[in-house]
Amino acid sequence: NGPSGICLSYLLSGYKPYLDTATVHPNPILYRKLQETKQLPITEQDLEYLSEGLEGRSRNPVAVLFDTLLHPNADFGYEFPPVLQWRRDKQQHIPHLVLGRATPGGAWHAMEGSMLTISLGIWMELPGVNYRDLTNGKRR
């Protein structure tokens, strides 16, 4: 029931990631691949093909793909906008319940207020939630 459970619940609620056609990914090869089937949700495309040749902080190529779609070139210090757009299809909603041993948020509840993460704040975003909007005006 931590971040991965929250993301899974978001997907089961009918939200699907699509290419935001108003944006351009800075990786021209990936952008060309994304254009080929832009009418389909990313999750219904060939993820192996899309993630081919991408490099990142994970050994999981799908994780690297979603990192680069949500935060293009963030590993190089850039702050480009996401190229994903989340759309809800009520027909795809699957009634569900996320069960866990603790309250939603997982390990975050056990961390002291002075605890810092080694990840950039923008990497802490969940689908459909803009981190900057949440932290606007806060000093942390």
Side-chain angles (χ1 to χ4, degrees), residues 14 19 76 83 88 99 131:
L19 175 65
F76 303 113
V83 297
R88 186 167 188 214
L99 300 174
Y131 183 81

Side-chain angles (χ1 to χ4, degrees), residues 11-140:
L11 291 168
L12 291 174
S13 294
Y15 287 93
K16 295 193 175 201
Y18 287 83
L19 175 65
D20 182 348
T21 56
T23 62
V24 175
H25 196 282
N27 179 325
I29 296 170
L30 176 59
Y31 183 68
R32 182 187 48 76
K33 290 178 181 181
L34 291 167
Q35 292 295 310
E36 293 171 6
T37 51
K38 61 186 172 189
Q39 73 282 1
L40 293 176
I42 300 294
T43 51
E44 294 178 19
Q45 296 184 33
D46 183 346
L47 300 178
E48 183 177 356
Y49 171 67
L50 291 176
S51 60
E52 186 178 72
L54 298 178
E55 296 180 6
R57 297 169 286 122
S58 174
R59 291 183 182 181
N60 180 335
V62 175
V64 173
L65 171 64
F66 273 86
D67 279 350
T68 194
L69 294 174
L70 289 167
H71 306 289
N73 289 353
D75 287 337
F76 303 113
Y78 295 102
E79 292 190 24
F80 293 117
V83 297
L84 288 184
Q85 178 184 67
W86 293 91
R87 298 182 201 160
R88 186 167 188 214
D89 180 353
K90 292 182 181 182
Q91 302 288 8
Q92 296 293 316
H93 173 99
I94 299 171
H96 64 281
L97 178 65
V98 178
L99 300 174
R101 296 181 186 173
T103 55
W108 293 104
H109 291 288
M111 294 184 186
E112 298 293 326
S114 61
M115 180 76 72
L116 299 175
T117 174
I118 58 171
S119 297
L120 296 174
I122 60 169
W123 292 349
M124 299 290 106
E125 290 178 339
L126 294 170
V129 179
N130 184 301
Y131 183 81
R132 284 199 172 77
D133 291 345
L134 289 174
T135 59
N136 196 13
K138 295 182 181 175
R139 295 179 50 154
R140 297 181 91 197

